[in-house]
Amino acid sequence: METQEFIGRSHLDTRTLNAWVEAEWLVPVASKKTFQFSEADLARVRLIRDLKADFGINDEGIAIILHLLDQLYGLRCLVRDIQAMEASDRSKDLG
């Protein structure tokens, strides 16, 4: 979704959105003169809001939490790829 739709759905103001993109809390795909945001970006906005409002976490803490979550997601993808390769190897051995 483009920036204006994302602002409407996320209820972020333009200044906050730009600050979060600059801080790399949100990493939209850049296309021509606009950004493209995903449903995952919307979920990330909700997470950031929850961390700030419900837990009182400051900006430095949010940056750390988001970095750790990104690492965890990367590791999950890697484990999934390894499991898929192992399953493929097993099926070749049986076939």
Side-chain angles (χ1 to χ4, degrees), residues 5-77:
E5 180 183 355
F6 186 78
I7 287 172
R9 291 183 62 192
S10 67
H11 307 291
L12 288 178
D13 58 66
T14 304
R15 194 177 107 204
T16 301
L17 176 61
N18 290 334
W20 289 9
V21 168
E22 188 174 313
E24 297 181 357
W25 291 2
L26 297 171
V27 185
V29 176
S31 68
K32 297 182 185 178
K33 295 183 181 183
T34 187
F35 290 127
Q36 293 293 319
F37 293 92
S38 67
E39 293 295 324
D41 292 318
L42 282 174
R44 202 163 169 108
V45 166
R46 288 190 294 274
L47 172 65
I48 293 167
R49 282 200 171 129
D50 289 347
L51 291 172
K52 284 179 165 284
D54 295 345
F55 297 102
I57 297 175
N58 63 18
D59 289 355
E60 292 81 16
I62 289 176
I64 291 168
I65 290 168
L66 293 175
H67 177 72
L68 291 172
L69 286 172
D70 291 341
Q71 285 184 329
L72 181 61
Y73 177 76
L75 289 172
R76 286 182 62 203
C77 290

Side-chain angles (χ1 to χ4, degrees), residues 73-90:
Y73 177 76
L75 289 172
R76 286 182 62 203
C77 290
L78 180 62
V79 168
R80 192 174 331 143
D81 291 346
I82 291 170
Q83 289 173 334
M85 286 184 349
E86 288 174 345
S88 175
D89 288 347
R90 280 193 297 270

